[in-house]
Amino acid sequence: MAVKVGVKVSSWNEIPDSLERIEIPEGEYAVTRFQGDRERLNTIYDDLFTWMECNGYERNTTEGAYWIESNRLKPVNPFDIPSAEIQQFD
């Protein structure tokens, strides 16, 4: 499993060779942040999708489209835990 983490940079001059350069295509993106349990997570997704529908937006589901879920990797790596076992999200 690979984890991709993105950071906006103003210059490529001092990017180490060990990092992969990717460019996010210009477009409109929705971002939300929350802390809570699985029920709250599902509420956030429901709210986001309802907002998109009410405002005339459609989620891009074509192959290669960006769908990023950032996870804090400390104090534990959430990708080492089966998702069904995770009870709190940040």
Side-chain angles (χ1 to χ4, degrees), residues 1-35:
M1 174 183 296
V3 176
K4 294 199 180 269
V5 177
V7 177
K8 182 178 180 180
V9 296
S10 58
S11 167
W12 295 109
N13 294 338
E14 297 183 27
I15 302 292
D17 291 336
S18 60
L19 299 180
E20 177 187 4
R21 174 184 164 174
I22 62 169
E23 294 187 38
I24 308 297
E26 185 174 327
E28 294 180 331
Y29 297 88
V31 177
T32 186
R33 180 164 183 216
F34 81 101
Q35 293 178 314

Side-chain angles (χ1 to χ4, degrees), residues 67-82:
W67 176 262
I68 299 174
E69 291 189 36
S70 300
N71 292 286
R72 295 176 193 239
L73 300 178
K74 293 182 180 178
V76 297
N77 182 341
F79 298 105
D80 289 339
I81 304 168

